Amino acid sequence: HFSPTTMALSNLRRLTQSHTRLPSLSFLTQSPICRPTSTKKVSDRIVRLSAIDFEGQKHNVIGLTGQTLLKALINTGLIDPDSHRLEEIDACSAHCEINIAQEWLDKLPPRSYDEEYVLKHNSRARVLNKHSRLGCQVLLNHDLQGMVVALPEPKPWDTS
């Protein structure tokens, strides 16, 4: 004579043994949707730079990896955001031009044809300064930690 509890346990064991196991749902935790977000903190993405304005004043600049140098300079207040509303090469002006020392230039990818064209176009003598880069074309990364850039004096035709 079985008690109701013993019968329930017996039935439960029989059902679990006769049922095939369901496939593991671990694939769900591997999907990008359920995966925990990156544990990388904003502080891990910080790139510290220095900028020398055309009057010789040094400014500390803080940017983030993946951000353009232009964005970091705008956020610091060294470049007028209205001078370069879009971070595209078609919107460049002389305010986007910066000068970078050779040791840091070597850590950057070479200028694109479009970047060289814009730099030559903005130059009064139409001669390319080998240290000139467009801030919108320089992506920050940890290799650029400590970089020093110089902001040239605004061109006469850009100050009106």
Side-chain angles (χ1 to χ4, degrees), residues 10-78:
S10 175
N11 286 339
L12 183 59
R13 271 190 222 112
R14 190 170 28 104
L15 282 172
T16 57
Q17 289 170 352
S18 66
H19 248 326
T20 57
R21 285 188 53 91
L22 290 174
S24 169
L25 297 179
S26 64
F27 70 91
L28 289 176
T29 59
Q30 301 302 318
S31 80
I33 297 169
C34 296
R35 205 173 299 148
T37 57
S38 175
T39 57
K40 201 168 203 176
K41 300 177 210 162
V42 171
S43 61
D44 295 337
R45 295 183 52 215
I46 290 178
V47 179
R48 295 179 192 283
L49 320 162
S50 295
I52 311 294
D53 65 23
F54 66 92
E55 295 173 341
Q57 298 293 317
K58 185 176 179 179
H59 303 270
N60 293 323
V61 177
I62 296 177
L64 299 175
T65 57
Q67 184 180 55
T68 64
L69 178 56
L70 174 68
K71 186 73 169 170
L73 293 168
I74 286 173
N75 289 344
T76 306
L78 294 172

